[in-house]
Amino acid sequence: MSLFRLDSSIRTEGSVSREVADTVEQTWLEQHPGRTVVRRDVGREPLPADLWTAAMGAGATPEAERTPEQRAAIALVGELADEVVAADALVIGSPLYNFGIAAHLKTWVDVLITDPRFAPGNQPLAGRPVALVVSRGGGYGPGTPREGWDHGTGWLVRILGDVWGGDVTVIEAELTLADTVPAMAELRPLAARVRAQAHETAGTWLVAS
């Protein structure tokens, strides 16, 4: 039994998505002592920028006619897909950047879809628990000025849940910039409560044996 963990934050120190994902991982390991965690960090080690293009080209090219670059792309895509397919549960860290998901995370999703196992019509995550850890620098909840401006979370739920079949739990932390942005100083108590709630949700995330 294994947990697949994907981080996409470009930050290491101070990353709330990584921090809450740590709690998810710790919770899972406590429930499954001695089990394996497979990690992929596209924030610190982005996938090649031309990987999706090469993989798409390879898919439209007869195998015997593929270029060395296309063959390398297919091999890497297979490795990425194998990591996910082999997992019994997943945790995906997704900070909100420019009202959407991180470019490196989008590339990972696009690349996986080129693998036949993840193509539309297949559900490789059917029945598997997925913790989607979302961090947002500001407030995007109902009644806030930026309600509806988060264009990343809903899309990821569609992909991970509706398209790939995972049982998705969204764990959200907002106002993560309050501690460093003076204009948000009055929101710091609320930000602390929201962050604590995210850790509480992560700590009670239950994965079936």
Side-chain angles (χ1 to χ4, degrees):
M1 179 171 287
S2 66
L3 172 72
F4 174 73
R5 172 173 173 173
L6 182 80
D7 287 294
S8 61
S9 174
I10 59 175
R11 301 174 64 194
T12 50
E13 297 297 324
S15 168
V16 175
S17 66
R18 292 180 185 276
E19 176 188 307
V20 176
D22 285 343
T23 300
V24 173
E25 179 181 326
Q26 179 182 350
T27 298
W28 190 86
L29 287 172
E30 289 172 353
Q31 296 168 353
H32 306 91
R35 302 300 185 177
T36 303
V37 178
V38 175
R39 298 178 179 85
R40 171 73 61 172
D41 193 333
V42 295
R44 286 187 284 194
E45 298 180 5
L47 297 173
D50 61 349
L51 178 58
W52 180 68
T53 304
M56 287 290 291
T61 304
E63 184 175 356
E65 300 175 16
R66 289 173 181 167
T67 66
E69 292 76 15
Q70 289 175 333
R71 293 180 185 278
I74 289 294
L76 179 52
V77 169
E79 178 184 335
L80 296 170
D82 287 345
E83 291 176 344
V84 178
V85 169
D88 297 281
L90 297 87
V91 54
I92 309 293
S94 177
L96 188 72
Y97 292 147
N98 300 318
F99 314 115
I101 67 172
H104 303 317
L105 177 54
K106 180 62 161 59
T107 297
W108 179 79
V109 171
D110 288 340
V111 164
L112 277 186
I113 291 176
T114 67
D115 186 283
R117 291 167 288 181
F118 287 81
N122 296 327
Q123 292 200 321
L125 302 184
R128 302 186 198 185
V130 180
L132 175 58
V133 177
V134 176
S135 61
R136 295 184 283 258
Y140 294 80
T144 64
R146 292 209 167 150
E147 178 183 359
W149 283 52
D150 175 354
H151 299 290
T153 304
W155 183 83
L156 280 170
V157 171
R158 286 288 187 192
I159 293 292
L160 297 168
D162 297 338
V163 177
W164 290 346
D167 181 8
V168 181
T169 298
V170 180
I171 304 172
E172 301 171 287
E174 287 201 330
L175 305 172
T176 62
L177 292 176
D179 287 340
T180 57
V181 176
M184 298 176 66
E186 64 179 17
L187 296 173
R188 287 171 186 169
L190 176 58
R193 291 196 297 273
V194 171
R195 192 164 175 171
Q197 179 60 53
H199 280 286
E200 181 178 344
T201 303
T204 56
W205 184 64
L206 300 178
V207 179
S209 300

